[in-house]
Amino acid sequence: MSTTSATIHGFPNFKYEPLDLSTVRPSIRLAILQPGPRNASIRVKLGRSAFADRPKYEALSYTWGRADDLRAIELNGTRVEVRKNLALALVHLRHASEERVLWIDAICINQSDLEERNRQVELMAYIYARAKRVLVWLGIIMHSQGPKVGDEDLNDLGTLCHQSYWRRIWIVQEIGAATDLELHWGLKSQMDQENNWQSRSGVWVDFFARILGDETTNLAVKLARQREGRHGDSFLLANLMEVCKDSLCEEPRDKVYGFVGIAHDCQDGSFPVDYSKSLFEVYEDVVRFQYRSTALNTKTVVHFSQLVQRLFGGTYQMQRDLGQKRNPFVPLQSNNDRTKAFKAVGVYTGSVSSVGCSYDEFIAVPEATRKWKVSLQKSQTDLEKLRRKNEGFMRVLLDLEKPELDRIRAFEPNFSWKGAKDMHGVLGVPTRGSRSEHELLPLFKFGPEENGETEPSAPRLFSTRSGVIGLIPSNARVGDMLFHFWESDVVAVVRLEVSYVRIIGRAAIANPEYTPSSKFFTPNDWMQDTETGLDFEKKGIEIYMDIPTLQLLTQ
């Protein structure tokens, strides 16, 4: 399934008859593939059927392929163009003397009708579940001679397992909802003409019984095993998005919408599917949905927010999608809105004790680097260990790209919350006893920070007394506190203003050891850092933010 614009996928010269989009008696279109020999033109008749009529059909699962490689078919007597891979699938599936009733997204959904698209996407899992069989089209592969496994060459099976099909977002839903699966592909040799290839097929279970592969390298095996776990928590929305984060789609909203129909926690219809929404709006929808869900607690909200933005291509792509429209986020304005705030569990990592040179000075001025090294002598920690860490961090700083550097930034939320330092000097929120959800929230104060920085500049190096080093935004100062979040390199810079607390920016902390694959420190449940004492079960405290702050902090 794909849902990009009708100018790419739709049929401008074809008029669709409207579907019943009601929830009482929803209907779908069915593509009736007309019989014919291999070299005949493809003819399809389009009909409609309500689910209540118990239609018998097979659903096609395939990859769209290139948008600029089209083939003509006949649809209700009208010439339309479909992508080459679909045309090949139709040639393969066509019977010589009998009609074949299929459901095919590119043909059966009017891609130019936004309301229909939204509704049909909501029904996708049901459409595939109701099909008597789901037909998986893997495309045409070049035959490679090898040892036999049953009737197939082992080399051919390996090639099939690495087809682009297995990287699609939508196949998780399509094969996960199916009750009966059949694999189909074409096989040709180097000597064959373009249209001269053999049609092959196999039952899903039999196919995977013949394959020996590791799911870390074999995408087909990975998806097959994921399907086996479809009745458990692996099919919750957040888990599907996490596991399938590297899957491909043309429409970024499908990184979320592609799982809604099959996610157990979305079956009550509480998650909206609306392709007219901007990526910022879909981001807020899915983050709020997961925050309310038992599948996401306050420990993981920052990690999940960061995941969603990465799936959408980052802030640049989200802004590009927004175009000339205004950012739809609404900041908190009063204590009446405070139930809309997000509560995240952060762990105190240390307080800034020394602020060094700016990043720009570190890059350009050797003397600034020397002074920074001298300043580390004041840290109350193992200096040999600290110097080793600093050496690795210097390598990281030299390799930083601008988008990575831009994340270390100052920002000014319009609110702060009631808080105070405990007896150890660590920030906390007063215990409020067992009261209502609204009463459990701290008191918020609204308005910008007094004497806040108005013109942010380059990030600066910093250290703490315990030997934590990294980058802080230019508005940070000695005494500001640093809080890390679970499975995320996000570090919030927090400032205590008398008895109120405010997030004033995002920092980054150096890894204890240089790691090329991970530039900044990312804690998780299995990592205990003796220097910083990170322990999310024992030292987590509540940090509050509205949706604009959460998005900025995790971009």
Side-chain angles (χ1 to χ4, degrees), residues 386-555:
L386 180 57
R387 290 181 186 121
R388 186 181 300 111
K389 180 196 296 186
N390 185 64
E391 180 182 271
F393 190 52
M394 298 299 100
R395 293 175 63 185
V396 168
L397 294 180
L398 290 172
D399 291 337
L400 281 184
E401 303 290 342
K402 187 177 186 303
E404 297 171 311
L405 192 63
D406 288 345
R407 297 186 192 120
I408 316 305
R409 56 178 296 177
F411 42 84
E412 294 186 11
N414 192 47
F415 72 94
S416 53
W417 68 91
K418 189 77 172 178
K421 289 187 177 181
D422 64 16
M423 60 182 295
H424 303 292
V426 178
L427 184 68
V429 176
T431 303
R432 294 171 292 281
S434 131
R435 285 175 275 178
S436 70
E437 179 182 352
H438 190 79
E439 291 175 320
L440 283 173
L441 291 169
L443 185 66
F444 288 4
K445 183 172 71 173
F446 294 86
E449 178 188 11
E450 296 181 6
N451 303 317
E453 182 180 272
T454 57
E455 296 184 4
S457 53
R460 307 187 73 86
L461 279 69
F462 81 92
S463 65
T464 70
R465 294 186 187 279
S466 62
V468 175
I469 59 174
L471 284 175
I472 50 174
S474 57
N475 64 334
R477 55 186 182 230
V478 171
D480 287 342
M481 290 166 284
L482 307 170
F483 290 88
H484 230 135
F485 300 93
W486 178 80
E487 285 204 347
S488 170
D489 60 3
V490 172
V491 179
V493 184
V494 173
R495 182 170 295 163
L496 183 63
E497 305 166 347
V498 188
S499 59
Y500 281 84
V501 184
R502 182 189 302 272
I503 299 176
I504 58 102
R506 172 176 171 177
I509 291 176
N511 274 311
E513 299 286 344
Y514 175 71
T515 308
S517 60
S518 178
K519 294 186 177 180
F520 299 118
F521 180 51
T522 302
N524 57 48
D525 280 344
W526 300 276
M527 181 182 296
Q528 293 294 323
D529 185 79
T530 55
E531 181 178 333
T532 57
L534 291 179
D535 186 337
F536 282 92
E537 297 302 323
K538 298 178 181 178
K539 300 187 72 172
I541 66 113
E542 300 168 359
I543 293 179
Y544 294 85
M545 56 195 87
D546 56 7
I547 191 68
T549 306
L550 178 61
Q551 188 269 323
L552 284 172
L553 188 67
T554 58
Q555 67 180 20

Side-chain angles (χ1 to χ4, degrees), residues 1 60-64 85-86 104-106 137 165 168 174:
M1 173 66 191
L60 182 62
S61 178
Y62 67 109
T63 183
W64 282 68
N85 194 46
L86 174 54
I104 305 168
D105 57 353
W137 172 245
Y165 171 85
R168 291 180 56 238
E174 293 164 5

Side-chain angles (χ1 to χ4, degrees), residues 78-112:
T78 301
R79 183 185 183 276
V80 299
E81 290 184 323
V82 299
R83 296 193 184 186
K84 177 182 177 181
N85 194 46
L86 174 54
L88 292 173
L90 294 174
V91 169
H92 166 83
L93 295 171
R94 177 170 52 189
H95 291 309
S97 58
E98 298 178 0
E99 293 181 337
R100 192 163 193 173
V101 182
L102 303 169
W103 188 88
I104 305 168
D105 57 353
I107 295 175
C108 296
I109 296 177
N110 181 0
Q111 301 288 336
S112 62

Side-chain angles (χ1 to χ4, degrees), residues 118-337:
N118 291 339
R119 181 61 183 143
Q120 292 283 289
V121 167
E122 291 174 345
L123 291 172
M124 286 291 292
Y126 191 70
I127 291 171
Y128 279 88
R130 282 288 298 267
K132 64 180 182 181
R133 189 176 299 107
V134 171
L135 309 173
V136 173
W137 172 245
L138 297 174
I140 298 175
I141 66 168
M142 195 69 67
H143 173 59
S144 178
Q145 192 71 37
K148 289 282 187 180
V149 180
D151 296 331
E152 302 298 335
D153 281 289
L154 186 59
N155 290 344
D156 291 341
L157 293 176
T159 302
L160 289 171
C161 287
H162 290 85
Q163 290 292 90
S164 60
Y165 171 85
W166 303 108
R167 298 189 67 85
R168 291 180 56 238
I169 279 283
W170 284 98
I171 68 166
V172 179
Q173 178 167 259
E174 293 164 5
I175 67 176
T179 56
D180 187 13
L181 281 158
E182 209 171 66
L183 293 167
H184 293 258
W185 65 95
L187 197 63
K188 65 180 297 185
S189 68
Q190 293 182 345
M191 302 300 294
D192 289 335
Q193 299 296 320
E194 180 179 3
N195 297 321
N196 184 22
W197 45 273
Q198 303 173 43
S199 291
R200 309 302 287 264
S201 64
V203 177
W204 178 275
V205 175
D206 294 343
F207 180 87
F208 283 101
R210 290 179 286 178
I211 295 173
L212 299 176
D214 183 351
E215 64 181 83
T216 60
T217 57
N218 190 320
L219 295 175
V221 173
K222 178 180 178 180
L223 263 294
R225 290 179 179 168
Q226 185 179 18
R227 182 177 185 271
E228 292 174 1
R230 64 191 181 278
H231 302 300
D233 286 351
S234 62
F235 267 51
L236 295 174
L237 181 60
N239 293 338
L240 287 166
M241 291 171 61
E242 180 84 53
V243 171
C244 303
K245 59 180 178 286
D246 295 324
S247 296
L248 304 178
C249 59
E250 296 184 19
E251 164 60 76
R253 292 160 187 81
D254 288 344
K255 293 279 190 174
V256 177
Y257 292 160
F259 304 119
V260 170
I262 200 139
H264 299 317
D265 47 345
C266 295
Q267 296 307 300
D268 59 358
S270 59
F271 189 84
V273 173
D274 187 350
Y275 282 94
S276 68
K277 289 187 173 183
S278 69
L279 290 177
F280 279 100
E281 291 171 303
V282 179
Y283 160 83
E284 181 170 3
D285 283 346
V286 71
V287 171
R288 288 199 182 281
F289 173 81
Q290 286 303 124
Y291 185 73
R292 294 191 300 266
S293 170
T294 55
L296 184 76
N297 57 37
T298 55
K299 185 176 75 172
T300 60
V301 62
V302 168
H303 168 78
F304 185 72
S305 172
Q306 203 169 23
L307 169 68
V308 176
Q309 294 198 71
R310 286 172 178 167
L311 292 179
F312 287 168
T315 302
Y316 172 78
Q317 290 297 335
M318 292 171 71
Q319 290 285 1
R320 185 179 178 184
D321 171 81
L322 197 61
Q324 300 301 314
K325 299 178 184 177
R326 293 182 59 185
N327 188 310
F329 290 162
V330 178
L332 297 183
Q333 301 291 339
S334 72
N335 273 292
N336 293 329
D337 298 331

Side-chain angles (χ1 to χ4, degrees), residues 334-364:
S334 72
N335 273 292
N336 293 329
D337 298 331
R338 58 185 174 158
T339 55
K340 297 178 182 179
F342 293 90
K343 179 172 67 177
V345 173
V347 173
Y348 177 69
T349 308
S351 294
V352 177
S353 62
S354 174
V355 178
C357 62
S358 72
Y359 177 81
D360 292 346
E361 291 170 332
F362 164 77
I363 294 296

